[in-house]
mmCIF file of all heavy atoms in Angstrom:
data_model
loop_
_atom_site.group_PDB
_atom_site.id
_atom_site.type_symbol
_atom_site.label_atom_id
_atom_site.label_comp_id
_atom_site.label_asym_id
_atom_site.label_seq_id
_atom_site.Cartn_x
_atom_site.Cartn_y
_atom_site.Cartn_z
ATOM 1 N N TRP A 183 6.948 -20.038 55.403
ATOM 2 C CA TRP A 183 6.310 -20.166 54.003
ATOM 3 C C TRP A 183 4.902 -19.489 54.167
ATOM 4 O O TRP A 183 4.214 -19.761 55.111
ATOM 5 C CB TRP A 183 6.121 -21.631 53.714
ATOM 6 C CG TRP A 183 7.424 -22.210 53.097
ATOM 7 C CD1 TRP A 183 8.676 -21.721 53.401
ATOM 8 C CD2 TRP A 183 7.479 -23.439 52.496
ATOM 9 N NE1 TRP A 183 9.527 -22.651 52.813
ATOM 10 C CE2 TRP A 183 8.917 -23.671 52.156
ATOM 11 C CE3 TRP A 183 6.575 -24.367 51.983
ATOM 12 C CZ2 TRP A 183 9.366 -24.763 51.462
ATOM 13 C CZ3 TRP A 183 7.121 -25.425 51.217
ATOM 14 C CH2 TRP A 183 8.442 -25.599 51.091
ATOM 15 N N THR A 185 1.238 -18.576 51.962
ATOM 16 C CA THR A 185 0.470 -18.931 50.716
ATOM 17 C C THR A 185 0.069 -17.583 50.148
ATOM 18 O O THR A 185 -0.570 -16.793 50.856
ATOM 19 C CB THR A 185 -0.724 -19.766 51.086
ATOM 20 O OG1 THR A 185 -1.457 -19.325 52.151
ATOM 21 C CG2 THR A 185 -0.325 -21.317 51.251
ATOM 22 N N LYS A 192 -1.082 -10.652 49.947
ATOM 23 C CA LYS A 192 -0.867 -11.361 51.284
ATOM 24 C C LYS A 192 0.168 -10.307 51.881
ATOM 25 O O LYS A 192 1.277 -10.052 51.346
ATOM 26 C CB LYS A 192 -0.211 -12.702 51.167
ATOM 27 C CG LYS A 192 -0.033 -13.390 52.440
ATOM 28 C CD LYS A 192 -1.317 -13.727 53.091
ATOM 29 C CE LYS A 192 -1.198 -14.855 54.026
ATOM 30 N NZ LYS A 192 -1.272 -16.154 53.574
ATOM 31 N N VAL B 324 0.234 -10.828 60.971
ATOM 32 C CA VAL B 324 -0.517 -11.207 59.788
ATOM 33 C C VAL B 324 -2.010 -10.919 60.075
ATOM 34 O O VAL B 324 -2.493 -10.960 61.167
ATOM 35 C CB VAL B 324 -0.293 -12.636 59.392
ATOM 36 C CG1 VAL B 324 -1.516 -13.531 59.856
ATOM 37 C CG2 VAL B 324 0.115 -12.847 58.006
ATOM 38 N N VAL B 326 -5.807 -11.955 59.868
ATOM 39 C CA VAL B 326 -6.515 -13.036 59.776
ATOM 40 C C VAL B 326 -7.964 -12.716 59.450
ATOM 41 O O VAL B 326 -8.674 -12.176 60.264
ATOM 42 C CB VAL B 326 -6.452 -14.018 61.053
ATOM 43 C CG1 VAL B 326 -7.171 -15.353 60.925
ATOM 44 C CG2 VAL B 326 -5.022 -14.287 61.374
ATOM 45 N N ASP B 328 -10.272 -15.172 57.786
ATOM 46 C CA ASP B 328 -11.038 -16.385 58.101
ATOM 47 C C ASP B 328 -9.876 -17.384 58.615
ATOM 48 O O ASP B 328 -10.010 -17.776 59.764
ATOM 49 C CB ASP B 328 -11.780 -16.860 56.955
ATOM 50 C CG ASP B 328 -12.630 -18.053 57.328
ATOM 51 O OD1 ASP B 328 -12.997 -18.224 58.412
ATOM 52 O OD2 ASP B 328 -12.959 -18.771 56.340
ATOM 53 N N ILE B 329 -9.013 -17.855 57.694
ATOM 54 C CA ILE B 329 -8.013 -18.788 58.106
ATOM 55 C C ILE B 329 -6.732 -18.365 57.410
ATOM 56 O O ILE B 329 -6.764 -18.028 56.200
ATOM 57 C CB ILE B 329 -8.309 -20.204 57.625
ATOM 58 C CG1 ILE B 329 -9.528 -20.752 58.337
ATOM 59 C CG2 ILE B 329 -7.131 -21.109 57.869
ATOM 60 C CD1 ILE B 329 -9.795 -22.234 57.975
ATOM 61 N N GLU B 330 -5.689 -18.146 58.238
ATOM 62 C CA GLU B 330 -4.293 -17.870 57.598
ATOM 63 C C GLU B 330 -3.482 -18.862 58.091
ATOM 64 O O GLU B 330 -3.304 -19.243 59.261
ATOM 65 C CB GLU B 330 -3.866 -16.520 58.101
ATOM 66 C CG GLU B 330 -4.676 -15.340 57.620
ATOM 67 C CD GLU B 330 -4.299 -15.023 56.119
ATOM 68 O OE1 GLU B 330 -3.230 -15.447 55.691
ATOM 69 O OE2 GLU B 330 -5.217 -14.491 55.552
ATOM 70 N N CYS B 331 -2.606 -19.451 57.149
ATOM 71 C CA CYS B 331 -1.707 -20.592 57.467
ATOM 72 C C CYS B 331 -0.303 -20.106 57.225
ATOM 73 O O CYS B 331 0.008 -19.464 56.178
ATOM 74 C CB CYS B 331 -1.947 -21.773 56.665
ATOM 75 S SG CYS B 331 -3.553 -22.588 57.256
ATOM 76 N N VAL B 332 0.597 -20.480 58.107
ATOM 77 C CA VAL B 332 1.991 -20.228 58.026
ATOM 78 C C VAL B 332 2.719 -21.552 58.047
ATOM 79 O O VAL B 332 2.281 -22.357 58.843
ATOM 80 C CB VAL B 332 2.483 -19.305 59.034
ATOM 81 C CG1 VAL B 332 3.975 -19.115 59.026
ATOM 82 C CG2 VAL B 332 1.837 -17.923 58.901
ATOM 83 N N TYR B 333 3.733 -21.718 57.217
ATOM 84 C CA TYR B 333 4.481 -22.954 57.215
ATOM 85 C C TYR B 333 5.874 -22.830 57.847
ATOM 86 O O TYR B 333 6.574 -21.856 57.503
ATOM 87 C CB TYR B 333 4.540 -23.585 55.841
ATOM 88 C CG TYR B 333 3.192 -23.876 55.236
ATOM 89 C CD1 TYR B 333 2.494 -22.879 54.622
ATOM 90 C CD2 TYR B 333 2.640 -25.218 55.220
ATOM 91 C CE1 TYR B 333 1.307 -23.108 54.146
ATOM 92 C CE2 TYR B 333 1.498 -25.415 54.728
ATOM 93 C CZ TYR B 333 0.845 -24.321 54.008
ATOM 94 O OH TYR B 333 -0.485 -24.568 53.386
ATOM 95 N N GLU B 334 6.329 -23.861 58.591
ATOM 96 C CA GLU B 334 7.666 -23.690 59.158
ATOM 97 C C GLU B 334 8.256 -25.040 58.952
ATOM 98 O O GLU B 334 7.669 -26.146 59.314
ATOM 99 C CB GLU B 334 7.620 -23.286 60.566
ATOM 100 C CG GLU B 334 8.988 -23.213 61.281
ATOM 101 C CD GLU B 334 9.599 -21.734 61.029
ATOM 102 O OE1 GLU B 334 8.753 -20.819 60.969
ATOM 103 O OE2 GLU B 334 10.818 -21.538 61.122
ATOM 104 N N PHE B 347 1.606 -16.284 70.194
ATOM 105 C CA PHE B 347 0.942 -15.441 69.265
ATOM 106 C C PHE B 347 -0.033 -14.512 70.164
ATOM 107 O O PHE B 347 -0.423 -14.939 71.207
ATOM 108 C CB PHE B 347 0.084 -16.125 68.223
ATOM 109 C CG PHE B 347 -1.039 -16.836 68.669
ATOM 110 C CD1 PHE B 347 -2.381 -16.329 68.609
ATOM 111 C CD2 PHE B 347 -0.938 -18.212 69.238
ATOM 112 C CE1 PHE B 347 -3.412 -16.927 69.178
ATOM 113 C CE2 PHE B 347 -2.038 -18.766 69.782
ATOM 114 C CZ PHE B 347 -3.326 -18.156 69.703
ATOM 115 N N ILE B 363 -9.098 -16.300 68.855
ATOM 116 C CA ILE B 363 -8.569 -16.935 67.621
ATOM 117 C C ILE B 363 -8.175 -18.356 68.013
ATOM 118 O O ILE B 363 -7.650 -18.526 69.011
ATOM 119 C CB ILE B 363 -7.376 -16.201 67.180
ATOM 120 C CG1 ILE B 363 -7.736 -14.721 66.827
ATOM 121 C CG2 ILE B 363 -6.617 -16.743 66.105
ATOM 122 C CD1 ILE B 363 -8.270 -14.558 65.495
ATOM 123 N N ASP B 364 -8.354 -19.264 67.128
ATOM 124 C CA ASP B 364 -7.836 -20.624 67.265
ATOM 125 C C ASP B 364 -6.529 -20.860 66.583
ATOM 126 O O ASP B 364 -6.385 -20.356 65.467
ATOM 127 C CB ASP B 364 -8.931 -21.606 66.660
ATOM 128 C CG ASP B 364 -10.353 -21.281 67.260
ATOM 129 O OD1 ASP B 364 -10.524 -20.867 68.420
ATOM 130 O OD2 ASP B 364 -11.346 -21.628 66.557
ATOM 131 N N LEU B 365 -5.731 -21.690 67.122
ATOM 132 C CA LEU B 365 -4.447 -21.998 66.453
ATOM 133 C C LEU B 365 -4.464 -23.546 66.324
ATOM 134 O O LEU B 365 -4.802 -24.283 67.255
ATOM 135 C CB LEU B 365 -3.348 -21.558 67.240
ATOM 136 C CG LEU B 365 -1.977 -22.124 66.856
ATOM 137 C CD1 LEU B 365 -1.530 -21.591 65.502
ATOM 138 C CD2 LEU B 365 -0.835 -21.929 67.792
ATOM 139 N N THR B 366 -4.174 -24.069 65.124
ATOM 140 C CA THR B 366 -4.068 -25.428 64.859
ATOM 141 C C THR B 366 -2.711 -25.695 64.188
ATOM 142 O O THR B 366 -2.411 -25.145 63.203
ATOM 143 C CB THR B 366 -5.267 -25.888 63.872
ATOM 144 O OG1 THR B 366 -6.433 -25.361 64.380
ATOM 145 C CG2 THR B 366 -5.382 -27.416 63.802
ATOM 146 N N VAL B 367 -2.086 -26.692 64.824
ATOM 147 C CA VAL B 367 -0.764 -27.058 64.218
ATOM 148 C C VAL B 367 -0.846 -28.469 63.551
ATOM 149 O O VAL B 367 -1.263 -29.398 64.347
ATOM 150 C CB VAL B 367 0.334 -27.017 65.269
ATOM 151 C CG1 VAL B 367 1.803 -27.290 64.640
ATOM 152 C CG2 VAL B 367 0.447 -25.740 66.050
ATOM 153 N N THR B 368 -0.537 -28.507 62.254
ATOM 154 C CA THR B 368 -0.636 -29.868 61.619
ATOM 155 C C THR B 368 0.756 -30.362 61.195
ATOM 156 O O THR B 368 1.527 -29.664 60.677
ATOM 157 C CB THR B 368 -1.486 -29.639 60.382
ATOM 158 O OG1 THR B 368 -2.666 -28.789 60.591
ATOM 159 C CG2 THR B 368 -2.003 -31.011 59.798
ATOM 160 N N SER B 369 0.898 -31.528 61.470
ATOM 161 C CA SER B 369 2.332 -32.195 61.066
ATOM 162 C C SER B 369 2.292 -32.492 59.666
ATOM 163 O O SER B 369 1.233 -32.452 59.017
ATOM 164 C CB SER B 369 2.535 -33.450 61.939
ATOM 165 O OG SER B 369 1.874 -34.477 61.377
ATOM 166 N N VAL B 374 -3.250 -33.517 63.522
ATOM 167 C CA VAL B 374 -3.060 -32.330 64.379
ATOM 168 C C VAL B 374 -2.214 -32.505 65.592
ATOM 169 O O VAL B 374 -2.387 -33.388 66.286
ATOM 170 C CB VAL B 374 -4.457 -31.849 64.760
ATOM 171 C CG1 VAL B 374 -4.284 -30.643 65.718
ATOM 172 C CG2 VAL B 374 -5.222 -31.345 63.578
ATOM 173 N N HIS B 376 -1.126 -29.873 67.701
ATOM 174 C CA HIS B 376 -1.325 -28.981 68.819
ATOM 175 C C HIS B 376 -2.457 -28.047 68.475
ATOM 176 O O HIS B 376 -2.626 -27.574 67.360
ATOM 177 C CB HIS B 376 -0.032 -28.152 69.092
ATOM 178 C CG HIS B 376 -0.055 -27.518 70.365
ATOM 179 N ND1 HIS B 376 0.371 -28.082 71.527
ATOM 180 C CD2 HIS B 376 -0.371 -26.157 70.746
ATOM 181 C CE1 HIS B 376 0.184 -27.182 72.595
ATOM 182 N NE2 HIS B 376 -0.140 -25.912 72.105
ATOM 183 N N THR B 377 -3.295 -27.788 69.435
ATOM 184 C CA THR B 377 -4.403 -26.854 69.223
ATOM 185 C C THR B 377 -4.548 -25.883 70.444
ATOM 186 O O THR B 377 -4.386 -26.258 71.505
ATOM 187 C CB THR B 377 -5.823 -27.521 69.001
ATOM 188 O OG1 THR B 377 -5.950 -28.415 69.930
ATOM 189 C CG2 THR B 377 -6.002 -28.039 67.605
ATOM 190 N N LEU B 378 -5.003 -24.620 70.070
ATOM 191 C CA LEU B 378 -5.235 -23.680 71.200
ATOM 192 C C LEU B 378 -6.646 -23.012 70.657
ATOM 193 O O LEU B 378 -6.669 -22.457 69.510
ATOM 194 C CB LEU B 378 -4.234 -22.634 71.283
ATOM 195 C CG LEU B 378 -3.075 -22.954 72.058
ATOM 196 C CD1 LEU B 378 -2.002 -21.907 71.820
ATOM 197 C CD2 LEU B 378 -3.296 -23.018 73.521
ATOM 198 N N LYS B 379 -7.576 -23.133 71.542
ATOM 199 C CA LYS B 379 -8.941 -22.525 71.102
ATOM 200 C C LYS B 379 -9.325 -21.286 71.736
ATOM 201 O O LYS B 379 -9.204 -21.206 72.963
ATOM 202 C CB LYS B 379 -10.066 -23.678 71.211
ATOM 203 C CG LYS B 379 -9.806 -24.799 70.220
ATOM 204 C CD LYS B 379 -11.198 -25.284 69.810
ATOM 205 C CE LYS B 379 -11.036 -26.277 68.702
ATOM 206 N NZ LYS B 379 -10.580 -25.703 67.443
ATOM 207 N N PHE B 386 3.011 -21.533 73.133
ATOM 208 C CA PHE B 386 2.787 -22.926 72.846
ATOM 209 C C PHE B 386 4.138 -23.505 72.675
ATOM 210 O O PHE B 386 5.189 -22.884 72.302
ATOM 211 C CB PHE B 386 1.911 -23.213 71.586
ATOM 212 C CG PHE B 386 2.444 -22.630 70.366
ATOM 213 C CD1 PHE B 386 3.297 -23.358 69.638
ATOM 214 C CD2 PHE B 386 2.008 -21.392 69.892
ATOM 215 C CE1 PHE B 386 3.733 -22.808 68.353
ATOM 216 C CE2 PHE B 386 2.427 -20.812 68.679
ATOM 217 C CZ PHE B 386 3.386 -21.532 67.975
ATOM 218 N N TYR B 396 5.626 -28.108 58.858
ATOM 219 C CA TYR B 396 4.493 -27.973 59.744
ATOM 220 C C TYR B 396 3.696 -26.838 59.345
ATOM 221 O O TYR B 396 4.221 -25.815 59.009
ATOM 222 C CB TYR B 396 4.944 -27.894 61.191
ATOM 223 C CG TYR B 396 5.442 -29.211 61.747
ATOM 224 C CD1 TYR B 396 6.552 -29.824 61.421
ATOM 225 C CD2 TYR B 396 4.705 -29.874 62.689
ATOM 226 C CE1 TYR B 396 6.984 -31.018 62.044
ATOM 227 C CE2 TYR B 396 4.957 -31.086 63.254
ATOM 228 C CZ TYR B 396 6.153 -31.695 62.854
ATOM 229 O OH TYR B 396 6.437 -32.851 63.406
ATOM 230 N N LYS B 397 2.461 -27.017 59.537
ATOM 231 C CA LYS B 397 1.470 -25.999 59.186
ATOM 232 C C LYS B 397 0.804 -25.363 60.397
ATOM 233 O O LYS B 397 0.246 -26.022 61.205
ATOM 234 C CB LYS B 397 0.280 -26.589 58.269
ATOM 235 C CG LYS B 397 -0.571 -25.558 57.613
ATOM 236 C CD LYS B 397 -1.274 -26.066 56.472
ATOM 237 C CE LYS B 397 -2.609 -26.736 56.852
ATOM 238 N NZ LYS B 397 -3.369 -27.012 55.685
ATOM 239 N N PHE B 398 0.972 -24.067 60.522
ATOM 240 C CA PHE B 398 0.325 -23.374 61.735
ATOM 241 C C PHE B 398 -0.855 -22.530 61.173
ATOM 242 O O PHE B 398 -0.541 -21.574 60.422
ATOM 243 C CB PHE B 398 1.330 -22.414 62.391
ATOM 244 C CG PHE B 398 2.600 -23.082 62.975
ATOM 245 C CD1 PHE B 398 3.627 -23.536 62.094
ATOM 246 C CD2 PHE B 398 2.674 -23.269 64.319
ATOM 247 C CE1 PHE B 398 4.677 -24.244 62.627
ATOM 248 C CE2 PHE B 398 3.679 -23.957 64.880
ATOM 249 C CZ PHE B 398 4.746 -24.433 64.000
ATOM 250 N N CYS B 399 -2.018 -22.895 61.519
ATOM 251 C CA CYS B 399 -3.211 -22.125 60.996
ATOM 252 C C CYS B 399 -3.955 -21.367 62.051
ATOM 253 O O CYS B 399 -4.302 -21.954 63.119
ATOM 254 C CB CYS B 399 -4.131 -23.169 60.353
ATOM 255 S SG CYS B 399 -3.666 -23.748 58.787
ATOM 256 N N PHE B 400 -4.260 -20.100 61.770
ATOM 257 C CA PHE B 400 -4.968 -19.274 62.772
ATOM 258 C C PHE B 400 -6.382 -19.207 62.146
ATOM 259 O O PHE B 400 -6.530 -18.900 60.894
ATOM 260 C CB PHE B 400 -4.384 -17.919 62.766
ATOM 261 C CG PHE B 400 -3.083 -17.870 63.324
ATOM 262 C CD1 PHE B 400 -1.956 -17.771 62.553
ATOM 263 C CD2 PHE B 400 -2.784 -17.972 64.683
ATOM 264 C CE1 PHE B 400 -0.638 -17.707 63.070
ATOM 265 C CE2 PHE B 400 -1.660 -17.993 65.233
ATOM 266 C CZ PHE B 400 -0.547 -17.832 64.390
ATOM 267 N N HIS B 401 -7.423 -19.388 62.950
ATOM 268 C CA HIS B 401 -8.789 -19.387 62.558
ATOM 269 C C HIS B 401 -9.523 -18.351 63.197
ATOM 270 O O HIS B 401 -9.540 -18.218 64.489
ATOM 271 C CB HIS B 401 -9.403 -20.752 62.691
ATOM 272 C CG HIS B 401 -10.920 -20.859 62.519
ATOM 273 N ND1 HIS B 401 -11.468 -20.337 61.334
ATOM 274 C CD2 HIS B 401 -11.918 -21.072 63.308
ATOM 275 C CE1 HIS B 401 -12.798 -20.493 61.410
ATOM 276 N NE2 HIS B 401 -13.140 -20.901 62.652
ATOM 277 N N ASN B 402 -10.165 -17.508 62.541
ATOM 278 C CA ASN B 402 -11.008 -16.313 63.068
ATOM 279 C C ASN B 402 -12.433 -16.698 62.944
ATOM 280 O O ASN B 402 -12.908 -16.592 61.777
ATOM 281 C CB ASN B 402 -10.545 -15.127 62.383
ATOM 282 C CG ASN B 402 -11.200 -13.878 62.931
ATOM 283 O OD1 ASN B 402 -11.913 -13.917 64.022
ATOM 284 N ND2 ASN B 402 -11.143 -12.770 62.294
ATOM 285 N N VAL B 410 -2.900 -10.728 63.947
ATOM 286 C CA VAL B 410 -2.278 -11.636 64.855
ATOM 287 C C VAL B 410 -0.793 -11.517 64.665
ATOM 288 O O VAL B 410 -0.297 -11.638 63.534
ATOM 289 C CB VAL B 410 -2.697 -13.018 64.625
ATOM 290 C CG1 VAL B 410 -1.982 -14.088 65.516
ATOM 291 C CG2 VAL B 410 -4.204 -13.266 64.773
ATOM 292 N N PHE B 412 2.723 -13.203 65.559
ATOM 293 C CA PHE B 412 3.073 -14.571 65.938
ATOM 294 C C PHE B 412 4.609 -14.704 65.857
ATOM 295 O O PHE B 412 5.281 -13.976 65.211
ATOM 296 C CB PHE B 412 2.427 -15.601 65.210
ATOM 297 C CG PHE B 412 2.866 -15.529 63.673
ATOM 298 C CD1 PHE B 412 3.901 -16.274 63.223
ATOM 299 C CD2 PHE B 412 2.122 -14.693 62.784
ATOM 300 C CE1 PHE B 412 4.270 -16.183 61.872
ATOM 301 C CE2 PHE B 412 2.544 -14.616 61.491
ATOM 302 C CZ PHE B 412 3.572 -15.441 60.995
ATOM 303 N N ILE B 414 7.463 -18.027 65.787
ATOM 304 C CA ILE B 414 7.712 -19.490 65.862
ATOM 305 C C ILE B 414 9.210 -19.787 65.899
ATOM 306 O O ILE B 414 9.859 -19.223 65.142
ATOM 307 C CB ILE B 414 7.044 -20.213 64.679
ATOM 308 C CG1 ILE B 414 5.488 -19.817 64.602
ATOM 309 C CG2 ILE B 414 7.252 -21.584 64.725
ATOM 310 C CD1 ILE B 414 4.906 -20.220 63.276
#
Side-chain angles (χ1 to χ4, degrees):
Chain A
W183 284 17
T185 44
K192 186 66 160 273
Chain B
V324 105
V326 181
D328 186 20
I329 292 187
E330 288 289 334
C331 288
V332 172
Y333 299 81
E334 183 91 24
F347 72 97
I363 298 277
D364 308 328
L365 166 71
T366 314
V367 185
T368 316
S369 80
V374 172
H376 195 80
T377 43
L378 276 170
K379 285 217 172 296
F386 59 87
Y396 279 73
K397 189 161 85 162
F398 297 78
C399 283
F400 298 101
H401 168 58
N402 180 13
V410 175
F412 62 91
I414 303 168

